[in-house]
Amino acid sequence: YNKTSPPDPVDAFAPHPRLEAPIERLFEMSDDEFRDWAEGSPMRRAGLERLRRTAAIVLGNVGTKRHLPVFQNLDTPPTRRARDRINED
């Protein structure tokens, strides 16, 4: 049902432009950049580390080998679940 419904014309329900950033951007942000980026958003409560953990799982589930550099450049390794999913490709 929702796949075929037209987009809502009300701007209040449109995605916020900050969400158009690629998921990899979460791994490149400093703490200060994240606070500025997430200002006024519920994502700020989750915090950068939790969002990175979730992003790692998402990339592990739907990502491809092109996402491997994201993980190779991390100070801390992705979760085991994310590593396992990426290694399956």
Side-chain angles (χ1 to χ4, degrees):
Y1 172 76
N2 287 336
K3 285 184 179 182
T4 59
S5 64
D8 195 317
V10 178
D11 286 340
F13 296 110
H16 194 280
R18 81 176 114 209
L19 298 178
E20 294 176 5
I23 195 168
E24 295 91 343
R25 177 75 178 108
L26 285 172
F27 297 102
E28 300 166 354
M29 287 183 189
S30 68
D31 288 334
D32 290 335
E33 288 174 312
F34 173 74
R35 278 192 291 276
D36 291 342
W37 178 79
E39 184 65 38
S41 166
M43 289 186 285
R44 187 164 181 184
R45 279 181 278 158
L48 183 55
E49 289 307 312
R50 288 185 189 140
L51 287 176
R52 282 180 177 163
R53 183 190 65 214
T54 302
I57 292 170
V58 167
L59 289 177
N61 286 335
V62 298
T64 62
K65 294 263 188 215
R66 75 178 179 89
H67 293 107
L68 284 176
V70 172
F71 295 117
Q72 292 167 343
N73 295 329
L74 294 179
D75 293 334
T76 57
T79 63
R80 184 185 52 151
R81 180 178 176 190
R83 278 193 314 269
D84 292 347
R85 294 296 299 204
I86 285 178
N87 290 331
E88 288 176 2
D89 286 341

